[in-house]
Amino acid sequence: MNDSPQTKLLRIAAFLVDALSLSIVLVLPASIISYAMTWTTTPKGIQLVWWAALAILMMAMLLRDGFRRRSIGKQLLGLRLLTPQGEGCSYGRSFLRNLPLVIPGWNLIEVVLVLMGKPRTGDRLAKTTVTEE
């Protein structure tokens, strides 16, 4: 299955929407908390806030396609994420699908596959396809 040039761009844009929205939702509170903590705690406490924010961001990126069966970016840009049975993506499939994106180096292979219009490794693992509505 080869994606059209429009679908490729929509997939990339949807990923960027997801990454940006999740980052803003996590970075803003972490910034406010760590700034407030500068007056009351040690740098170790501030470091803990950022490690926690990073862990939450990582889990959110892995599970984002399970929320309403497709990520917010896919919803906004009119993409569907389907299983072989024609259902939306579950949290388990989302985890499998997005796991290759958090592996350093492998995530670049995933980008190349999307640009070539081929199924990502994550899509093959989770047995999902991305289509336009």
Side-chain angles (χ1 to χ4, degrees), residues 45-108:
I46 296 168
Q47 184 181 20
L48 223 68
V49 169
W50 286 103
W51 279 114
L54 180 62
I56 294 168
L57 177 63
M58 187 75 67
M59 287 308 297
M61 288 300 287
L62 287 169
L63 300 174
R64 74 183 189 275
D65 291 317
F67 178 71
R68 294 188 179 174
R69 305 296 188 193
R70 58 186 170 162
S71 71
I72 291 170
K74 287 180 190 69
Q75 290 175 39
L76 290 174
L77 295 169
L79 294 173
R80 299 181 63 80
L81 182 59
L82 301 172
T83 66
Q85 296 79 25
E87 301 168 345
C89 191
S90 66
Y91 284 107
R93 282 188 195 263
S94 178
F95 184 87
L96 274 176
R97 182 177 188 278
N98 293 306
L99 191 58
L101 294 175
V102 298
I103 300 170
W106 196 262
N107 50 13
L108 298 176

Side-chain angles (χ1 to χ4, degrees), residues 15-29:
F15 175 81
L16 293 174
V17 167
D18 293 339
L20 184 62
S21 59
L22 288 171
S23 295
I24 289 171
V25 165
L26 289 169
V27 169
L28 187 59

Side-chain angles (χ1 to χ4, degrees), residues 2-18:
N2 285 338
D3 289 339
S4 71
Q6 177 176 318
T7 305
K8 290 178 208 176
L9 292 175
L10 286 172
R11 288 184 74 173
I12 293 167
F15 175 81
L16 293 174
V17 167
D18 293 339

